[in-house]
């Protein structure tokens, strides 16, 4: 199972599994996030109980015992019926998040901090200025919805955000102006919902605890230099480091932020502004007549001339086999925003008719198709979830063999949309 399958919201007390590890949030002597291992539930007479029967919270007559992973100290947690079945450690309300269920990232972006956090995204080039690949830029295509990102700039973490969708190819933001003139004009954009932390976190002041938690390879921060590593734009950091950083903020803020981050679905966010700008440029192009403008703009939503052209070529969903056009979406292979010409936007060969669930998987890059017509799943995708959606990796798609024109567009999809792209 891939890591992407583990993203979950806070775990209810009556769903905790004995023997499993969780991060417990509480507020006691300014230490309010600890990894614990569940021992089990116990009744008023000390008898162990398999599972509480209450659907919400914990019965006040029960005791939940957990041990701190770093000390083996055993503590007792109690339910409070008067407060909606919430659970408490002493007077502190407790919430749990399953270990290894949330992914954390660290971005060094002093140059573009204001532009990115004010406008709700991360943006990076796809490659170095010499054309070589860059691990920290490649990480952009590894972010998944719900991943948490720490913004480091000017020696502080003032913002923390969560991604709202996978990365997409997008032009360099106009608000960058003269920043990054050596960067290419096309790169990766990840929409991010940013929040200001109550008090800025200064990592160099907490290196005794944080130092050992930074990765040995591809670290975003130099412990010896006490600053962010130059050239390390976006880096994956461990869950322990992520929770440690969050523990330096107010407990209620951290819990509320995690609850929002882990329960927010997929959303285009800042990409809508990118598409709006492209649409405006089409509208303002005096060389195009109104009919052509309308066709290109309608194609953004899979309508108009693009859909008509597509229906002349495709007859069913390539994965589900559904033929009723009312239930199919006209999905671009090379995304509308990435098309170089108006003809690409309305080209019927630049698309498939797909069921809504398959359209989502294909559009976000969780799956792609080989030229021979086989479904390819990204490594970050949970295969069991794909199977439940009726999408079986390595199986042959339905319909006729792909045309040469479709193969050209699929090559772009595999290189620039698919999550395992090598671009």
């Amino acid at each position: 199972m891939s890591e992407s399958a583990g993203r979950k919201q806070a775990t209810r007390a009556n769903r905790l599994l004995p023997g499993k590890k969780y991060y417990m949030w509480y507020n006691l002597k300014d230490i309010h996030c600890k990894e614990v291992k569940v021992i089990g539930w116990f009744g008023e007479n000390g008898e162990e109980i398999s599972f509480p029967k209450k659907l919400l919270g914990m019965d006040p007559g029960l005791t939940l015992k957990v041990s701190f992973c770093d000390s083996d100290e055993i503590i007792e947690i109690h339910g409070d019926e008067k407060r909606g079945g919430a659970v408490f450690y002493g007077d502190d309300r407790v919430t749990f998040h399953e270990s290894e269920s949330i992914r954390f990232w660290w971005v060094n972006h002093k140059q573009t901090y204001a532009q990115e956090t004010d406008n709700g995204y991360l943006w990076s080039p796809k490659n170095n200025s010499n054309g070589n690949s860059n691990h920290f830029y490649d990480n952009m295509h590894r972010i998944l919805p719900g991943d948490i990102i720490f913004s480091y700039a000017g020696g502080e973490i003032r913002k923390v955000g969560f991604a709202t969708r996978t990365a997409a190819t997008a032009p360099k933001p106009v608000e960058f102006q003269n920043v990054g003139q050596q960067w290419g004009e096309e790169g990766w954009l990840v929409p991010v919902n940013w929040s200001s932390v109550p008090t800025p976190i200064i990592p160099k002041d907490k290196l005794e605890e944080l130092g050992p938690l930074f990765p040995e390879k591809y670290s975003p921060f130099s412990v010896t230099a006490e600053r962010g590593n130059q050239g390390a734009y976006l880096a994956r950091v461990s869950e322990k480091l992520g929770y440690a950083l969050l523990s330096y903020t107010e407990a209620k803020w951290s819990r509320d932020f995690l609850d929002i981050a882990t329960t927010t679905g997929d959303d285009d966010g800042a990409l809508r502004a990118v598409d709006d700008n492209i649409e405006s440029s089409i509208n303002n192009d005096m060389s195009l007549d109104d009919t052509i403008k309308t066709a290109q703009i309608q194609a953004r939503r899979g309508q108009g001339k693009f859909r008509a052209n597509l229906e002349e070529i495709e007859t069913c969903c390539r994965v589900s086999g559904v033929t009723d056009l009312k239930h199919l979406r006209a999905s671009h292979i090379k995304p509308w925003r990435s098309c170089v010409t108006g003809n690409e936007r309305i080209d019927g060969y630049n698309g498939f008719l797909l069921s809504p669930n398959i359209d989502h998987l294909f559009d976000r890059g969780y799956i792609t198709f080989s030229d021979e017509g086989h479904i390819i799943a990204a490594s970050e995708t949970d295969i069991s979830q794909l199977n439940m959606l009726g999408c079986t990796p390595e199986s042959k798609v339905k319909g006729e063999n792909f045309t040469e024109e479709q193969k050209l567009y699929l090559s772009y999809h595999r290189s620039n949309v698919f999550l395992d792209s090598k671009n």
Side-chain angles (χ1 to χ4, degrees), residues 123-134:
W123 186 92
S124 81
K126 291 187 175 182
N127 299 294
N128 292 329
S129 57
N130 61 6
N132 292 336
S133 63
N134 181 308

Side-chain angles (χ1 to χ4, degrees), residues 141 165-168 266 306 310 314 317-319 329-337 349-371 373-378 381 386 389 391 397 402 406-420:
H141 223 219
R165 63 153 285 170
T166 54
D266 184 286
F306 167 62
L310 177 57
E314 296 287 299
C317 173
R318 285 286 187 162
V319 177
R329 292 180 178 172
S331 180
H332 280 92
I333 302 172
K334 183 177 184 178
W336 181 88
R337 73 180 65 86
Y349 290 103
N350 182 21
F352 294 120
L353 294 172
L354 299 175
S355 301
N357 57 326
I358 306 303
D359 171 65
H360 166 77
L361 296 171
F362 188 76
D363 179 69
R364 281 354 190 201
Y366 295 111
I367 64 168
T368 191
F369 304 138
S370 70
D371 285 349
H374 292 97
I375 298 170
I376 306 171
T381 309
L386 285 185
L389 288 168
C391 181
V397 300
F402 295 141
Q406 287 173 322
K407 290 178 182 179
L408 286 174
Y409 286 118
L410 278 171
S411 176
Y412 182 93
H413 189 275
R414 290 191 296 268
S415 297
N416 295 276
V417 179
F418 186 49
L419 294 184
D420 285 355

Side-chain angles (χ1 to χ4, degrees), residues 204-225:
K204 74 172 185 177
D205 291 346
K206 304 181 185 300
L207 288 181
E208 183 175 351
E209 178 183 0
L210 297 180
L213 302 181
F214 283 103
E216 294 183 6
K217 188 177 182 181
Y218 299 127
S219 177
F221 191 88
S222 171
V223 176
T224 54

Side-chain angles (χ1 to χ4, degrees), residues 48-114:
E48 188 167 3
I49 296 172
S50 297
F51 280 97
K53 295 182 179 179
K54 287 177 65 63
L55 293 178
L56 295 173
M58 244 177 66
D59 190 300
L62 297 179
T63 297
L64 172 66
K65 293 184 179 181
V66 302
S67 62
F68 289 128
C69 292
D70 61 358
S71 67
D72 291 329
E73 176 190 357
I74 296 175
I75 64 171
E76 296 183 351
I77 297 169
H78 303 276
D80 188 332
E81 190 69 23
K82 294 180 180 179
R83 288 188 267 189
V87 291
F88 290 82
Y89 173 36
D91 293 327
D92 298 316
R93 183 169 180 172
V94 172
T95 57
F96 294 90
H97 283 270
E98 186 175 332
S99 293
E100 300 180 3
S101 67
I102 300 177
R103 308 190 330 160
F104 294 92
W105 301 85
W106 174 302
V107 61
N108 291 317
H109 59 164
K110 181 179 179 180
Q111 290 188 85
T112 56
Y113 165 80

Side-chain angles (χ1 to χ4, degrees), residues 136-326:
F136 300 104
Y137 297 158
D138 292 343
N139 279 338
M140 291 283 282
H141 223 219
R142 300 181 178 113
I143 288 183
L144 297 174
D147 285 3
I148 291 174
I149 304 154
F150 294 97
S151 161
Y152 181 80
E156 297 180 334
I157 293 173
R158 286 167 280 168
K159 301 268 189 178
V160 182
F162 58 88
T164 62
R165 63 153 285 170
T166 54
T169 295
K172 185 165 68 176
V174 293
E175 52 267 23
F176 279 19
Q177 297 182 354
N178 294 326
V179 175
Q181 292 183 343
Q182 74 278 16
W183 298 332
E185 291 301 312
E186 186 178 75
W188 299 121
L189 187 146
V190 174
V192 180
N193 190 326
W194 294 107
S195 295
S196 297
V197 298
T199 303
I201 303 166
I202 304 176
K204 74 172 185 177
D205 291 346
K206 304 181 185 300
L207 288 181
E208 183 175 351
E209 178 183 0
L210 297 180
L213 302 181
F214 283 103
E216 294 183 6
K217 188 177 182 181
Y218 299 127
S219 177
F221 191 88
S222 171
V223 176
T224 54
E226 298 186 350
R227 59 173 174 77
N229 275 326
Q230 188 174 3
Y233 176 68
L234 179 70
R236 177 82 180 272
V237 295
S238 69
E239 193 173 37
K240 287 185 181 295
L241 177 56
Y243 278 114
L245 290 169
L246 286 177
S247 72
Y248 298 135
T249 66
E250 295 175 5
K252 184 179 184 305
W253 185 92
S254 296
R255 287 198 301 265
D256 291 346
F257 173 80
L258 283 173
D259 286 342
I260 294 171
T262 55
T263 56
T264 299
D266 184 286
D267 183 75
D268 276 339
L271 273 174
R272 279 191 288 273
V274 174
D275 291 349
D276 288 345
N277 287 336
I278 296 173
E279 185 171 318
S280 293
S281 68
I282 294 172
N283 264 323
N284 295 330
D285 189 341
M286 302 302 294
S287 68
L288 302 177
D289 64 38
D290 289 344
T291 301
I292 294 176
K293 290 179 182 180
T294 298
Q296 291 191 31
I297 290 171
Q298 288 180 336
R300 173 182 175 182
R301 297 165 180 83
Q303 301 298 326
K305 184 65 174 175
F306 167 62
R307 181 165 186 125
N309 291 341
L310 177 57
E311 288 179 2
E312 291 181 1
I313 300 166
E314 296 287 299
T315 59
C316 70
C317 173
R318 285 286 187 162
V319 177
S320 69
V322 171
T323 57
D324 191 332
L325 297 177
K326 297 191 300 292

